[in-house]
Amino acid sequence: MQAVLSNEFIRMNNDLLDKVISILREVLGQPELMITEAMTASDVEGWDSFAHINLIMGLEDSYKIQFSTDEIGRMGKVADLISLLQGKLQQKAVVNED
Amino acid sequence: MKISLEIFSTALKAGQVPTAWAALRALVLQPLTPMQWQRLTRLILEHQETWRQFTEDRLLRVAVIGTYTTRMITDLILPHLLAEGSWAEIQEGDYGSFETEPLSPGSALYSFKPHFMLVATGVTDVREWPKPSDSEDEIEALAESVIAGLRTRWNCIKKFSSAQIIQHNFETPATRSLGHQEGRYVHSATRYIERLNKKLWEHEGDQIRVLDVNLAAQYLGAKTWLSPRWYHHSKHGFDPSATGSYSLLFGGLWRALLGRTRKVLVCDLDNTLWGGVIGDDGLAGIELGTVSAKGEAHAAFQRYIITLRQQGTLLAVCSKNELEIAQEPFEKHPECPLKLADFSAWECGWGVKSTGLKKIAQRLNVGLDSLVFIDDNPAECAEVMAALPEVTVIHLDADPADFIRQVDELYLFAPLDLTTEDLGRAQSLLVADELRIAISQSDTLAAYLASLQMQAAIRDVSIQDLPRVEQLFKKTNQFNWNGQTWDKPQLDALMQSSSAFILAVWLKDRHASHGLVSCAVLEVHDRILEIKNWVMSCRVFSRTLEDCILRELLQRAEKHGCIEIQAVFLRTPKNGYVSAFLDRLGFEEANGKYSLSVTLTDTRQCPITLVDQR
């Protein structure tokens, strides 16, 4: 049971990372861009505040979610962004079940 | 016509520049996201050389300064200007630079030598709001202090540069602490913003041009326009998702500033001006008016088109139909708001629509880039777009009830200033039509011109004529000697000068008063009368008016002790009319200047009476 959950977790995580990468590639105009979860925005050339806003808008649009003012400011590492995103999606799933 | 960025990108990479340009012209009329604007600008910059060649080095420098993050604005300027045929260099001031930078003569803003300075400010700059205890006088003083702050900076910009200032106005906030009473009390936020904007409009055309962002905010909804989240996070004066709305508004003002306001609306008929096909369904079968909801929608669309006509837009028809059948609803349908006489040109037939559009442009004596074509049929739209990249194509793909908005929200017909000449444009064209027929039968031309009983007034301009003078210099392509333009403050300065003067010409005939149809900026120096530039509306071509004006210029030259008239003439693909005029009168060319001795008397006899009253 545990193993199944964690596999699912990893798969979901990868999907989210893929999405973040695909939006960032478009935002930064770098089709070959690769990032890892350990990176921060300052590790990626061109990932400035404007790119960040476009990334957030892209994610909000793709997943029909909204980040709060606090959350937008709290995204340090790519991993933080992914886990935040995951939290949002789970929250949304619960609301939808209700 | 909805176009994807890919079409632009592919065409550009394949070196198909006209196709890419047509796609760009369509793209800037779409509500793109900040990311798409960024990508578009990036793609354009990657092919900079191609575009510089394409625009023949027509360059505009635009500086953007503001009190908030202006990145979303700077990214959309180059695409918009390039879509109208100019290359653009953009300089973005530092964040929040509007407060201080304009005050410093050494600022990088000024060494950039901008042609335009866009001032991006807004409701987020209003720090102090009226209090309920404030008197009317106190509120007025508060508002005045805000405008005075702006005015100080405008004055500096005018002093340290020759840039034309484009000033955002203030948006009515989404927060209404007085609720349903906002409209009632003078101290409310809504009423205060109204007051500030009214004060800004008082400077319109004088020191500044107002970019009415309040209108964009209102159209989109105040709540969507400004997102507190993005303002607090990164000082965005409007929500990034509102960039599309900003861009449409921005495009409208820029086209007007560049004299690129569209002049003619060319309409398809079936399923555009009415529901159904007149050739198949017949007069009783088409849906127009109270017969159905859809019929009502088409009638409302027609009434909107009438409004455009009243504002000076010319109307034309381009339809696959037999002319007689196509005209029937306008003559006989009891609920058809548009009438036959509302249209200045008809092209009905079975050939491709691009051919019809070319004929319409020729007939109305305007460039193809002045036309807007509307059609519900995507194939017709695509054909026109491919064949004539200059024409603006609107594919009416929405519910007929939304046709008005599809056209209106693009701000294509918004003038820089609405002049009395705009209001009478369609009427002058009737005469132009008769004239065309008379010219084709040249033995009757002189008689026809005499029968027009033309009266011209040639006078130094007064202050109230300046908006039309500015407009005429900017909009005229054909009778235009060298393309030089002046905005109102510059014209104002010329009026004060002792060596320069501005002549304006009014014309009327037995059919219509054509208004101010020609103007020239002149300067006297070294016994020479120099024509800095001279323009004349194409509406009054072929009437010998130019000869009549030249005679006046010769007389003026003599009066000022000049021995010759000089002018810079720059040949363009469009100003052949001037070129023919120069040849006919025997202007002599030397070093790009054309000159004519004042002793010349061989101007044509003009069948025009000179009068004092315009």
Side-chain angles (χ1 to χ4, degrees):
Chain A
M1 192 62 191
Q2 279 259 302
V4 174
L5 263 181
S6 117
N7 277 342
E8 204 171 277
F9 180 82
I10 291 167
R11 203 176 53 240
M12 186 177 175
N13 236 359
N14 282 341
D15 286 351
L16 293 180
L17 181 62
D18 283 350
K19 191 75 195 177
V20 170
I21 292 176
S22 99
I23 295 178
L24 260 185
R25 283 178 175 173
E26 213 184 328
V27 167
L28 302 179
Q30 302 172 24
E32 309 294 326
L33 178 80
M34 272 315 295
I35 54 167
T36 63
E37 295 202 23
M39 285 175 150
T40 65
S42 55
D43 297 325
V44 181
E45 204 196 321
W47 189 347
D48 55 13
S49 62
F50 184 69
H52 193 64
I53 289 162
N54 282 319
L55 171 64
I56 299 292
M57 284 176 60
L59 290 171
E60 289 188 339
D61 206 40
S62 303
Y63 294 111
K64 307 287 169 239
I65 49 167
Q66 197 176 358
F67 294 103
S68 71
T69 313
D70 186 35
E71 287 163 342
I72 298 171
R74 264 202 284 131
M75 298 168 192
K77 284 191 183 139
V78 174
D80 300 337
L81 175 60
I82 304 280
S83 67
L84 193 63
L85 196 52
Q86 201 160 30
K88 286 259 154 207
L89 290 172
Q90 272 163 4
Q91 216 177 347
K92 194 180 155 194
V94 171
V95 172
N96 284 349
E97 267 172 38
D98 284 355
Chain B
M1 192 83 194
K2 294 277 179 293
I3 284 289
S4 76
L5 252 161
E6 298 317 314
I7 295 182
F8 173 74
S9 164
T10 311
L12 190 55
K13 282 173 183 155
Q16 297 158 341
V17 185
T19 311
W21 188 60
L24 178 68
R25 281 168 73 81
L27 275 168
V28 300
L29 296 176
Q30 290 173 210
L32 305 182
T33 64
M35 213 161 87
Q36 290 171 314
W37 285 114
Q38 189 186 23
R39 187 151 167 247
L40 192 53
T41 295
R42 209 182 270 151
L43 278 166
I44 293 169
L45 287 171
E46 279 168 16
H47 295 81
Q48 210 174 126
E49 283 316 306
T50 310
W51 290 118
R52 280 180 181 266
Q53 263 175 32
F54 182 76
T55 54
E56 296 166 344
D57 291 320
R58 275 185 299 274
L59 169 72
L60 290 172
R61 281 184 300 272
V62 184
V64 182
I65 45 171
T67 47
Y68 54 70
T69 305
T70 47
R71 177 63 185 276
M72 266 124 40
I73 298 173
T74 48
D75 274 349
L76 55 81
I77 298 178
L78 176 58
H80 268 288
L81 267 62
L82 185 56
E84 294 305 329
S86 287
W87 184 251
E89 282 173 5
I90 322 287
Q91 169 146 316
E92 189 177 14
D94 292 334
Y95 167 74
S97 54
F98 180 64
E99 297 288 336
T100 52
E101 256 197 89
L103 306 177
S104 149
S107 158
L109 266 185
Y110 299 129
S111 52
F112 175 62
K113 295 199 184 330
H115 298 96
F116 292 97
M117 185 92 68
L118 175 64
V119 181
T121 53
V123 66
T124 49
D125 299 310
V126 181
R127 306 275 177 225
E128 198 184 341
W129 295 87
K131 292 183 286 296
S133 56
D134 285 349
S135 68
E136 165 80 31
D137 287 350
E138 283 168 319
I139 295 171
E140 176 62 19
L142 184 62
E144 196 42 51
S145 73
V146 173
I147 303 299
L150 293 173
R151 210 183 290 122
T152 305
R153 284 153 187 88
W154 301 336
N155 289 339
C156 287
I157 295 170
K158 286 286 168 198
K159 193 166 152 199
F160 304 133
S161 78
S162 54
Q164 204 170 343
I165 302 168
I166 298 164
Q167 171 71 55
H168 281 194
N169 64 359
F170 299 93
E171 313 97 298
T172 307
T175 310
R176 299 103 204 256
S177 58
L178 270 172
H180 63 275
Q181 300 283 23
E182 278 282 323
R184 178 170 171 189
Y185 296 106
V186 284
H187 71 272
S188 76
T190 304
R191 292 276 297 271
Y192 183 59
I193 289 294
E194 251 172 47
R195 183 186 295 254
L196 289 177
N197 284 340
K198 191 162 167 266
K199 285 178 177 292
L200 280 183
W201 282 116
E202 283 164 12
H203 295 279
E204 165 77 8
D206 190 359
Q207 270 179 304
I208 56 166
R209 286 290 173 179
V210 173
L211 184 61
D212 192 355
V213 289
N214 190 37
L215 194 72
Q218 186 204 38
Y219 188 59
L220 188 68
K223 209 175 143 188
T224 314
W225 173 259
L226 180 61
S227 136
R229 184 175 61 142
W230 287 124
Y231 184 68
H232 295 310
H233 174 262
S234 37
K235 295 290 170 286
H236 278 88
F238 55 87
D239 191 290
S241 71
T243 306
S245 306
Y246 179 89
S247 153
L248 289 175
L249 178 86
F250 176 90
L253 178 61
W254 277 88
R255 283 186 294 272
L257 281 168
L258 300 175
R260 306 288 318 115
T261 297
R262 303 297 188 257
K263 295 172 182 166
V264 189
L265 177 66
V266 185
C267 309
D268 166 56
L269 297 179
D270 295 329
N271 289 315
T272 294
L273 293 190
W274 50 72
V277 176
I278 183 69
D280 296 341
D281 303 329
L283 198 58
I286 57 170
E287 279 187 270
L288 183 59
T290 49
V291 59
S292 66
K294 194 174 153 202
E296 300 253 19
H298 282 288
F301 186 44
Q302 285 201 18
R303 284 192 295 272
Y304 170 73
I305 293 174
I306 291 175
T307 312
L308 290 179
R309 184 183 183 276
Q310 288 164 346
Q311 286 169 199
T313 305
L314 297 175
L315 305 182
V317 167
C318 185
S319 167
K320 287 189 173 166
N321 259 312
E322 298 296 344
L323 180 65
E324 234 170 76
I325 297 172
Q327 293 189 333
E328 220 186 333
F330 302 102
E331 291 170 315
K332 294 182 190 154
H333 196 287
E335 290 189 61
C336 187
L338 280 161
K339 301 294 169 211
L340 263 192
D342 290 327
F343 296 95
S344 302
W346 286 83
E347 277 304 326
C348 291
W350 303 97
V352 291
K353 293 220 168 173
S354 56
T355 310
L357 286 162
K358 269 193 259 181
K359 286 187 191 158
I360 288 169
Q362 220 164 26
R363 228 173 110 66
L364 300 179
N365 206 4
V366 297
L368 282 164
D369 51 6
S370 297
L371 304 187
V372 175
F373 172 60
I374 54 171
D375 199 318
D376 66 297
N377 183 333
E380 308 282 13
C381 290
E383 189 273 322
V384 171
M385 230 185 119
L388 308 171
E390 303 93 331
V391 175
T392 303
V393 177
I394 304 176
H395 175 212
L396 297 172
D397 58 353
D399 181 321
D402 287 327
F403 282 1
I404 297 178
R405 290 186 187 177
Q406 262 199 292
V407 176
D408 191 64
E409 67 185 15
L410 303 180
Y411 303 101
L412 288 164
F413 302 104
L416 189 58
D417 299 288
L418 195 61
T419 63
T420 44
E421 285 73 11
D422 292 320
L423 309 180
R425 181 164 301 122
Q427 215 178 356
S428 325
L429 261 155
L430 290 178
V431 185
D433 260 359
E434 287 183 12
L435 195 55
R436 197 172 3 253
I437 296 164
I439 290 170
S440 65
Q441 308 157 331
S442 61
D443 54 324
T444 63
L445 180 60
Y448 175 74
L449 287 178
S451 78
L452 277 176
Q453 298 159 16
M454 290 184 282
Q455 294 189 332
I458 306 178
R459 285 205 338 231
D460 293 279
V461 295
S462 350
I463 196 101
Q464 71 270 20
D465 305 322
L466 296 187
R468 170 63 178 165
V469 170
E470 178 184 356
Q471 182 193 50
L472 204 56
F473 275 117
K474 286 186 169 165
K475 277 176 70 174
T476 309
N477 293 310
Q478 299 180 78
F479 197 98
N480 186 331
W481 287 52
N482 53 42
Q484 191 170 351
T485 61
W486 292 266
D487 62 26
K488 192 169 166 277
Q490 291 167 329
L491 291 169
D492 250 336
L494 284 171
M495 282 177 72
Q496 310 303 325
S497 149
S498 58
S499 60
F501 49 102
I502 311 167
L503 271 194
V505 182
W506 287 261
L507 184 74
K508 63 180 173 190
D509 57 40
R510 72 181 151 89
H511 293 291
S513 172
H514 303 277
L516 199 168
V517 290
S518 178
C519 49
V521 170
L522 307 157
E523 199 178 60
V524 174
H525 58 83
D526 309 317
R527 302 193 69 196
I528 290 166
L529 178 82
E530 187 178 352
I531 303 175
K532 306 298 274 186
N533 195 10
W534 174 11
V535 293
M536 188 172 83
S537 162
C538 61
R539 287 193 270 155
V540 294
F541 277 13
S542 314
R543 295 160 167 255
T544 70
L545 181 62
E546 60 275 24
D547 293 78
C548 177
I549 299 168
L550 183 69
R551 187 173 298 152
E552 171 76 19
L553 291 185
L554 289 165
Q555 283 168 9
R556 290 247 177 174
E558 236 180 336
K559 208 173 82 193
H560 284 92
C562 299
I563 48 170
E564 61 177 30
I565 290 183
Q566 255 186 22
V568 174
F569 168 66
L570 298 175
R571 200 177 300 273
T572 72
K574 287 179 173 173
N575 67 1
Y577 192 93
V578 180
S579 170
F581 181 59
L582 287 170
D583 289 347
R584 176 155 64 74
L585 290 161
F587 268 80
E588 280 174 27
E589 199 243 314
N591 305 324
K593 289 216 167 181
Y594 288 75
S595 49
L596 191 68
S597 160
V598 290
T599 53
L600 176 117
T601 48
D602 186 29
T603 52
R604 270 186 206 167
Q605 273 309 309
C606 313
I608 301 174
T609 316
L610 282 183
V611 292
D612 289 335
Q613 295 285 315
R614 51 164 147 151

